[in-house]
Each structure stands twice: as structure tokens, then as C-alpha cells.
Amino acid sequence: MNKSSARLYAFEGQQDLASPQLVYYPALIRQNIQKMIAIAGGADRLWPHIKTHKMAQVVQMQLEAGIDRFKCATIAEAEMAAQAGAKRITLAYPLVGPNIRRFAALQQAFPQVEFFAIGDDTQQIRLLGQACQANVLMDVDMGQHRTGVALDKVEAMYREWNTLPGITMRGLHCYDGHRHESSRQVREEIIAPVDQQIEAIKGRLQADGLDCSILIMGGTPSFPVHAEMTGEFLSPGTCVIQDAGYRNAYPDLQFTPAAALLTRVISRPSRDTFTLDLGCKAVATDPTPERAEIALFFQELIDGGWDAYEEATAHESEELRKEDREILQLQEQIRQMLDREGQRQFDRYEDWLNCRMTSELDQAYLVGYQTAIRLLLMGILPADTLLARNARHEPEEEEEKT
């Protein structure tokens, strides 16, 4: 990330804000909402998920932009969206146990809102119909094999559910959360035949007089493809806030990360090691690849703290310059060991820190440069492998790339 983009996340008073802290940027969120509407071809085609932000303020921003349909993962999210002013809400989670009773109570509490339930089991839907009158969207397995009715069983089961007391069948919920292909073309090739099957099922049901007017398609990576291939509703979610992982994984989705984590260095026991107050309990460690980047590294030094730093580290300058040269040599050795995708990621870190080659903040960025290398290795190359390869590395011999 370059300096100009990093400046998006600086704000007045940040030095007084306790850390760690999750910070949202309303202007960036609104920009992402407008991009989402542009891709969809209109606000009336969007049925976005709110599970990424879970915030009434963001729901209200979308309402102001003309979006009035929302999808939720929990009863609490659905209640929040209803209180914020949503007109139609889909609870995209099969209702079992006490949640059936809670869903019925939710409908009673907000009679002005049209609620939709989803499901993939006949007995579950039968129990829902016994508890209340409910609009239902059949959950369809789009290939993820997590929840949903198999495509070859959708039509027959839909006709059966249409006869259940208390149940009004309204359409299909078609979430393909396993579509993680970086290439837009590959996503199109995979999604096209499935969309054709779904449209054919809808056509046959409607031809026989059944209501199947609502199809909610896709997630963030796939909604642009569904937007072009169908005329149905679209259900992105992450892109409203966006994160570094999605931005890097899907080049065709030009959304801007609209949230950041404010953190501070609490310990620096050596020149190339520091500890933040943002630990594993504050940031999930499970996503792969990494879904975060350091945006404002050494911001206080950039904004005027350099003099004090220079005075405190002047005696280390020669040693740092020597270490700097060693790091650059190590960088090239590491880069040569990576495959093409690894080199692309490595170059991204190099671009992010290229200002250190000409900036007076050379020594300050040195720590960041070392940290970038370490972060890269954590995701691409095991440390013990690196050490072993460095020990036997001979420049004049061409090695097999890992």
C-alpha cells in the first residue's frame, strides 16, 4: 500500500483514541455502496447481507442509497435491520428449535416489514408453518455442499412445500459461497451452467402457477457474474466494508477497504522486533491468505516524530546501513526461491515500502521492511525451509523454485 492510499486512514484525533480499536470510514463505505449499485445495475436489484458490519448506521446508509432489502444471519441482525427501517428482510439461516418461535415473534413485532425464512428440510418447514404464517425461500445447494437442497431435488420439493399449511413459497435462495476463483472469466464459466439450471427450474414452477418470483443470487465474489447472467436479486456482503484479502484476491472488484484496526507498538525489544496491542483475540488468524495489511506504519514518525527518533538512534546508523544491505541481499535470495504468484506478492510488499529507498526515514522503514519479509514468509515459505535453502544457496547454480 502506498503513502497516498495509506493517508485515507489517517484522521484527526487518532492519537487520543484508545487502542486496539475498530475504525469505520463512512465516506469510503458510501463509495463502496455506490460501486455495488453500479455493478448491480440499480439499487432495486440488491439484497445485501449485513453480517459483515452488523450496524444500523450502515443499513441506513444503504437505505439512503435506495436499497431496502437485506439479508441477515441471526434473529438479532434481523431485528436491528427492521428497527433501522428495512422493508424486506431474509433470515438466511435455517430456523430450528426456539428460533422458530423467535421468528414468529419478530414478524409480530414489525408488521410493516416483510420477512422471509429459508430452509432445506421438509420437517423444518412444516414446523415453521405450524408456528406462524411464513414466506419461504428454498435454500439451494449451488455446489458448496454445506446447506441447501440438491439441484435435482429442488423442483419436486418446492412443489411439496407449496402445499404445506402456513407456508407461502416465494422463491429460491442461491448462495455460492465457495466461488473463490480470482479470475472473473473462470467464475463466469463455472457459474453460467448453474444459473441456467436455476432459471429453468423457476420457469417450470411459474409456468404451473407457483410463485417463484424471488431468486437471491450469489455473494460478493460472484454477484457481478450473476448480475450479467440473470435479472435476479443479488446478495453481496463483504464489499460494503471490504478487506485487503478480497481486494487482492478479486482484481475485478474495485472496492476500497472501509475499516481499519487502530493499534500501537507496546514493545520494541530489538530493531527488527516489535509487539502490538492487537492480538489474536482482536484479529482472526484463520483466513488464508492474509486479510489485513499495515496501512499507516510509523505514522507518528512521518508526522513529525523523526527528530527524536534520529537523536535516539544516531549511534546505530552505521550498523543499520550494514543491516540494510544484508536485508536487500536476503530479499533477492527469497524472491528467487518463490514461484510466480509468490513473487507477485513479494513485489507488492516491495512497492509498499519503496519510499524507504529515497526517503529520509530510511532507518524507520527498516523495521517495517524486515517485518514485511517476516509476514511474507509466514504465508508462503516455512522459516526452517528458508534457513535450509539459504545455507546451501549458490548463486551460480540454478535451483528448483518452491
Side-chain angles (χ1 to χ4, degrees), residues 242-253:
Q242 188 65 331
D243 62 38
Y246 266 37
R247 183 197 61 199
N248 297 329
Y250 309 109
D252 58 305
L253 299 180

Side-chain angles (χ1 to χ4, degrees), residues 94-206:
L95 296 169
V96 296
N99 276 344
I100 292 178
R101 183 178 66 252
R102 294 177 67 199
F103 181 80
L106 190 67
Q107 292 191 122
Q108 292 178 349
F110 299 95
Q112 76 280 11
V113 178
E114 190 174 20
F115 289 94
F116 299 83
I118 72 164
D120 60 7
D121 180 81
T122 300
Q123 180 61 13
Q124 168 212 352
I125 299 302
R126 182 177 288 112
L127 291 173
L128 176 62
Q130 292 172 0
C132 63
Q133 293 290 323
N135 296 311
V136 172
L137 305 176
M138 176 175 284
D139 190 27
V140 178
D141 181 2
M142 299 287 282
Q144 190 172 11
H145 308 315
R146 184 180 67 175
T147 65
V149 178
L151 278 170
D152 61 350
K153 298 179 180 179
V154 165
E155 191 172 344
M157 192 175 291
Y158 194 98
R159 295 176 185 278
E160 179 184 0
W161 289 9
N162 195 57
T163 66
L164 296 178
I167 298 300
T168 302
M169 294 303 296
R170 300 291 300 278
L172 305 174
H173 175 253
C174 306
Y175 175 60
D176 48 5
H178 58 304
R179 292 275 67 88
H180 293 152
E181 298 80 14
S182 180
S183 166
R184 167 71 176 264
Q185 181 178 351
V186 172
R187 269 176 277 148
E188 290 175 349
E189 293 171 353
I190 296 173
I191 289 171
V194 182
D195 277 5
Q196 291 169 6
Q197 292 181 66
I198 294 294
E199 291 290 344
I201 292 170
K202 173 186 175 179
R204 289 192 294 269
L205 291 171
Q206 290 190 317

Side-chain angles (χ1 to χ4, degrees), residues 23-33 57-58 61 240 258-259:
V23 181
Y24 287 96
Y25 298 81
L28 297 180
I29 293 173
R30 289 190 173 93
Q31 289 177 20
N32 287 340
I33 292 171
Q57 295 93 325
V58 178
M61 289 181 194
V240 174

Side-chain angles (χ1 to χ4, degrees), residues 1-2 244-245 247-249 289-294 335 341-354 369 372 376 380:
M1 185 175 293
N2 58 41
R247 183 197 61 199
N248 297 329
E290 299 82 16
R291 300 182 76 171
E293 291 180 357
I294 300 176
R335 193 181 188 284
E341 175 62 16
Q343 289 184 1
R344 186 188 69 79
Q345 294 191 41
F346 193 94
D347 290 342
R348 191 159 47 80
Y349 281 103
E350 184 179 9
D351 291 342
W352 171 46
L353 291 163
N354 61 8
Y369 205 88
L376 181 68
I380 294 181

Side-chain angles (χ1 to χ4, degrees), residues 150-399:
L151 278 170
D152 61 350
K153 298 179 180 179
V154 165
E155 191 172 344
M157 192 175 291
Y158 194 98
R159 295 176 185 278
E160 179 184 0
W161 289 9
N162 195 57
T163 66
L164 296 178
I167 298 300
T168 302
M169 294 303 296
R170 300 291 300 278
L172 305 174
H173 175 253
C174 306
Y175 175 60
D176 48 5
H178 58 304
R179 292 275 67 88
H180 293 152
E181 298 80 14
S182 180
S183 166
R184 167 71 176 264
Q185 181 178 351
V186 172
R187 269 176 277 148
E188 290 175 349
E189 293 171 353
I190 296 173
I191 289 171
V194 182
D195 277 5
Q196 291 169 6
Q197 292 181 66
I198 294 294
E199 291 290 344
I201 292 170
K202 173 186 175 179
R204 289 192 294 269
L205 291 171
Q206 290 190 317
D208 289 341
L210 282 75
D211 184 356
C212 189
S213 56
I214 297 174
L215 270 62
I216 304 178
M217 311 294 290
T220 293
S222 62
F223 93 95
V225 178
H226 293 295
E228 292 188 358
M229 293 187 174
T230 76
E232 313 299 348
F233 292 107
L234 309 165
S235 189
T238 300
C239 62
V240 174
I241 303 299
Q242 188 65 331
D243 62 38
Y246 266 37
R247 183 197 61 199
N248 297 329
Y250 309 109
D252 58 305
L253 299 180
Q254 296 299 308
F255 295 89
T256 303
L261 293 160
L262 175 66
T263 181
R264 289 181 171 86
V265 175
I266 60 172
S267 174
R268 188 188 170 210
S270 65
R271 286 187 302 274
D272 63 348
T273 302
F274 64 88
T275 301
L276 304 175
D277 59 2
L278 188 71
C280 292
K281 291 182 175 62
V283 179
T285 58
D286 57 314
T288 301
E290 299 82 16
R291 300 182 76 171
E293 291 180 357
I294 300 176
L296 293 172
F297 199 73
F298 281 102
Q299 183 64 45
E300 292 184 3
L301 294 178
I302 295 171
D303 289 340
W306 170 249
D307 292 341
Y309 180 85
E310 186 178 47
E311 181 178 350
T313 60
H315 65 283
E316 298 178 340
S317 295
E318 182 57 39
E319 185 177 350
L320 284 171
R321 281 193 287 271
K322 178 182 177 182
E323 190 170 324
D324 185 24
R325 290 192 295 271
E326 292 174 352
I327 288 175
L328 291 176
Q329 292 172 1
L330 176 61
Q331 169 201 321
E332 185 57 29
Q333 291 177 6
I334 294 171
R335 193 181 188 284
Q336 293 304 318
M337 285 185 261
L338 301 175
D339 58 20
R340 180 173 298 179
E341 175 62 16
Q343 289 184 1
R344 186 188 69 79
Q345 294 191 41
F346 193 94
D347 290 342
R348 191 159 47 80
Y349 281 103
E350 184 179 9
D351 291 342
W352 171 46
L353 291 163
N354 61 8
C355 58
R356 65 175 299 282
M357 305 305 294
T358 57
S359 170
E360 63 178 353
L361 301 182
D362 243 18
Q363 286 138 21
Y365 277 103
L366 176 59
V367 178
Y369 205 88
Q370 293 168 317
T371 303
I373 291 176
R374 291 188 176 198
L375 290 174
L376 181 68
L377 295 179
M378 287 169 62
I380 294 181
L381 203 60
D384 54 351
T385 302
L386 172 64
L387 293 173
R389 292 184 68 86
N390 280 341
R392 66 174 187 268
H393 185 71
E394 295 181 7
E396 65 274 10
E397 294 181 4
E398 183 175 356
E399 297 185 290

